[in-house]
Amino acid sequence: MFQGQFMLEQLEERIVLDGAVADVQDVQDQTSDANSVDSLGWVYVNDGWWYEDTGSGWWFNENSGWWWNENDGWWLKSENGFDFWYRGEHQYWANEISTGLWFWWDDIDEQYWEPAFKWFADQINSEWTWVYNDWNGTFYQTNIEHYYYEDHATGDRWQWNSLSSIWKPIPSLVADINAGDYNSFPEYMTVYNGQLYFAADGDSHGEELWRYDSATNTVSLVADLYAGYIDSDPHELTVYNGELYFAADRGLYETELWKYNSVSNTLTFVADIHPNYGSNPQFLTVYNGALYFAATDGVHGNELWKYDSTSNTASLVADIRPNSDSDPAHLTVYNGQLYFIANDGTHGDSLWRYDSASNVTTLVTDHLWRGGGLIVYHNQLYFSAYDAGPYWKYDLWRYDSVSGSVLAAGRNPSFLFPCNLTVCNDQLYFQATGALGDELWKYDWVTQSASLVADIYPGDGHSNPGSSDYWQGMVEYRGQLYFPADDGAHGIELWKYDPQSNTATLVYDLREGMYGSYLLHLVVYDDELYFCAYDDIHGRELWKYHA
């Protein structure tokens, strides 16, 4: 039923367009070549251009043979027995005059002419699929459960749900940066000046800095910092003072701090903290007008540093563990101070804070689990720390800077090792290990209790929601929690949890079967969800999902 409906809609559009073709062809046959207004109302401008002074919007260039309509943006040219129509990227059509057949240029996947306005068979993913091209997009149908629509202009995709009789949005490929089934592996995605920046491997360039502009739907290389096939490996992308800062290797394994300015389109080396070896800056965080990070200068080990853009200087903040590495991690701003996890060699991994006003670094509490991370929720700082009784395990804790107290947060004997701490819809979600495996849990501020959200991998299997705290595992998008997870049947795919209906559902099985697309690096940009994912055709590339 719905196939017939779409066919009728496209037929109506076809009739309108064919009428325009006939009208233009008639005008073309009768246009005078005099440099003045002709009898049909055409006015000569310059450089061979004429326009029809009747409000139709049509222009004609007698030198190139191209027609252009200023009202709807269509270009038209008759050549080699075809009328060629063009209206921007992904909108290139040809009408064979002798047969009346229409064709669409597939510049998205196959790079060749495909039949338009009729169903034809094409082999996709080793299966024969019926394909239908209209003016704005393409329909694909293998069977009733595999019926899709792809928008030519945006690349957005939908799947037909035969049970609810509605179109459901599904993930779509943004760009195949490393063409074919090779991996570009986009990571460290960060929004800067209205564009999405990330590190990716562009084959001939190695892993370098790239960007995606949703306004133009284009992906481009920002800079080949380490020229050639070798990776500069840009990471820790962070916006500070109107510029994009990151750590990168300019050669000889010397990873230092760099910055990029999108206004001037300039790439600048910021500081050579550890000459000839690299300081390897990590956990870049903006705090009180300066950029803080962990780094080593070869003298003090891996310690807390800062960079001040005003004075253009990088300096050591604190040597917490002299003659060794304290390894500051998970730098988090909370109530006007900078908190982080570090090891002074005595207390193990512990919670520390730095006050820029007094320039003092202080130990807050010890026995933290570094993998749990830090997050601010309801004006308190939450983390994973060891419970010295009665449960004797790593549990969820919180710190109140006003009272200076460290308090248990929903201590529960049913789980341990909470990580991937993420706030969504005023509740704190996390991954934790319990009797049912590694699953999704939440902490409620009102009841001050933690509870299991969903057993995504039934039984004692591990769904591992979020996969990794270091890879932007969980994000809030349009009031719902999105994350990668494995239900034991589809592999690691995109899932979501709806707090309103209290349901966790698979968003889409991008790579069908039990192996999964192994998506990671989730980030929200321009009201869409972007991530890195793998399929058997394109490898690991940049994808997006529009809810």
Side-chain angles (χ1 to χ4, degrees):
M1 183 67 178
F2 53 89
Q3 290 184 17
Q5 179 182 353
F6 285 123
M7 292 288 284
L8 180 60
E9 291 175 357
Q10 303 314 316
L11 180 60
E12 292 172 350
E13 290 188 12
R14 168 83 177 275
I15 293 172
V16 173
L17 183 60
D18 282 349
V21 174
D23 177 67
V24 172
Q25 186 64 47
D26 180 62
V27 172
Q28 186 174 7
D29 292 339
Q30 302 180 54
T31 300
S32 167
D33 59 358
N35 295 343
S36 62
V37 178
D38 73 352
S39 60
L40 295 177
W42 284 82
V43 180
Y44 182 80
V45 183
N46 55 44
D47 296 329
W49 279 104
W50 293 73
Y51 78 91
E52 188 178 23
D53 192 24
T54 62
S56 68
W58 281 108
W59 290 69
F60 174 66
N61 188 286
E62 59 187 8
N63 298 325
S64 66
W66 276 102
W67 297 78
W68 174 63
N69 191 292
E70 63 182 1
N71 296 332
D72 54 26
W74 280 104
W75 289 80
L76 166 66
K77 183 177 183 180
S78 297
E79 189 174 56
N80 298 325
F82 287 87
D83 282 332
F84 292 98
W85 290 81
Y86 174 74
R87 191 172 66 174
E89 190 177 16
H90 313 314
Q91 295 278 341
Y92 202 7
W93 306 84
N95 176 229
E96 190 174 25
I97 298 173
S98 61
T99 64
L101 295 177
W102 283 86
F103 300 88
W104 168 66
W105 175 255
D106 181 1
D107 60 346
I108 298 178
D109 297 314
E110 307 296 341
Q111 303 295 318
Y112 69 84
W113 288 101
E114 296 181 354
F117 304 120
K118 73 172 186 177
W119 289 94
F120 69 99
D122 193 12
Q123 193 169 18
I124 299 177
N125 297 343
S126 301
E127 292 183 326
W128 284 100
T129 301
W130 288 101
V131 183
Y132 176 87
N133 294 308
D134 74 359
W135 286 112
N136 299 306
T138 299
F139 295 95
Y140 303 89
Q141 183 181 16
T142 303
N143 52 52
I144 194 65
E145 297 301 331
H146 293 81
Y147 190 59
Y148 307 94
Y149 176 76
E150 181 175 18
D151 188 291
H152 292 165
T154 65
D156 290 340
R157 301 170 68 215
W158 290 266
Q159 181 178 19
W160 177 259
N161 188 316
S162 60
L163 297 178
S164 58
S165 297
I166 61 173
W167 286 98
K168 177 183 178 182
I170 61 175
S172 56
L173 179 69
V174 175
D176 190 6
I177 297 173
N178 202 341
D181 59 353
Y182 299 99
N183 301 321
S184 72
F185 210 113
E187 56 185 343
Y188 303 107
M189 300 179 197
T190 302
V191 178
Y192 165 56
N193 275 2
Q195 296 180 325
L196 183 65
Y197 286 75
F198 53 92
D201 186 350
D203 186 22
S204 60
H205 301 287
E207 186 173 18
E208 298 292 345
L209 184 63
W210 289 71
R211 68 176 165 223
Y212 170 71
D213 187 341
S214 62
T216 60
N217 192 30
T218 55
V219 174
S220 58
L221 177 69
V222 176
D224 191 4
L225 183 58
Y226 201 145
Y229 292 92
I230 305 177
D231 305 331
S232 71
D233 187 26
H235 53 283
E236 307 291 334
L237 278 63
T238 305
V239 178
Y240 163 55
N241 199 23
E243 296 179 306
L244 182 66
Y245 286 74
F246 56 93
D249 182 4
R250 62 177 176 177
L252 302 175
Y253 305 102
E254 187 178 355
T255 300
E256 290 289 357
L257 192 62
W258 288 75
K259 69 177 180 179
Y260 172 74
N261 188 302
S262 64
V263 177
S264 61
N265 191 31
T266 54
L267 191 67
T268 307
F269 182 63
V270 175
D272 195 3
I273 296 174
H274 193 183
N276 302 319
Y277 292 94
S279 64
N280 194 28
Q282 293 179 296
F283 299 101
L284 277 62
T285 303
V286 178
Y287 163 58
N288 201 20
L291 183 66
Y292 288 74
F293 51 92
T296 177
D297 62 357
V299 177
H300 300 92
N302 191 33
E303 297 293 344
L304 184 63
W305 283 70
K306 73 174 180 179
Y307 170 74
D308 188 333
S309 62
T310 303
S311 61
N312 191 29
T313 56
S315 57
L316 178 69
V317 175
D319 188 9
I320 295 175
R321 190 174 184 178
N323 304 316
S324 189
D325 303 317
S326 71
D327 294 325
H330 301 292
L331 279 62
T332 304
V333 178
Y334 165 53
N335 275 0
Q337 296 178 318
L338 183 66
Y339 289 77
F340 55 94
I341 299 174
N343 188 337
D344 65 357
T346 301
H347 300 90
D349 286 338
S350 305
L351 181 63
W352 289 74
R353 70 164 171 253
Y354 170 72
D355 188 340
S356 61
S358 61
N359 194 30
V360 174
T361 304
T362 308
L363 173 68
V364 178
T365 186
D366 57 6
H367 297 301
L368 265 70
W369 178 43
R370 182 177 291 262
L374 303 173
I375 192 169
V376 178
Y377 172 57
H378 272 274
N379 203 33
Q380 293 184 333
L381 187 66
Y382 285 73
F383 50 89
S384 180
Y386 190 72
D387 186 343
Y391 301 130
W392 306 99
K393 65 183 181 68
Y394 283 97
D395 212 332
L396 187 64
W397 291 76
R398 56 194 168 103
Y399 171 70
D400 188 332
S401 64
V402 177
S403 64
S405 56
V406 178
L407 307 168
R411 296 167 77 186
N412 191 322
S414 300
F415 72 83
L416 69 160
F417 292 115
C419 61
N420 283 319
L421 307 179
T422 305
V423 176
C424 174
N425 203 30
D426 202 37
Q427 290 191 321
L428 179 62
Y429 293 84
F430 55 92
Q431 172 188 336
T433 304
L436 298 176
D438 289 331
E439 297 293 348
L440 182 64
W441 290 69
K442 69 178 178 181
Y443 173 77
D444 191 318
W445 166 260
V446 178
T447 62
Q448 296 191 20
S449 61
S451 58
L452 178 69
V453 171
D455 184 18
I456 296 174
Y457 197 132
D460 58 357
H462 305 292
S463 71
N464 294 314
S467 297
S468 171
D469 181 55
Y470 296 96
W471 290 344
Q472 298 156 292
M474 296 185 187
V475 295
E476 180 178 1
Y477 172 48
R478 291 195 167 190
Q480 298 181 333
L481 184 70
Y482 285 77
F483 54 92
D486 182 0
D487 64 357
H490 301 92
I492 298 177
E493 293 290 355
L494 183 62
W495 284 71
K496 70 176 180 180
Y497 171 73
D498 185 348
Q500 300 299 322
S501 62
N502 190 32
T503 56
T505 56
L506 175 68
V507 174
Y508 185 67
D509 189 9
L510 182 60
R511 186 188 182 197
E512 293 187 348
M514 62 180 295
Y515 296 105
S517 61
Y518 288 93
L519 66 125
L520 65 164
H521 302 299
L522 279 66
V523 64
V524 177
Y525 161 58
D526 196 20
D527 198 32
E528 292 185 308
L529 181 64
Y530 289 76
F531 52 89
C532 170
Y534 177 88
D535 73 1
D536 295 317
I537 298 176
H538 307 95
R540 192 180 292 276
E541 295 291 345
L542 182 63
W543 290 72
K544 69 177 180 179
Y545 171 73
H546 185 91

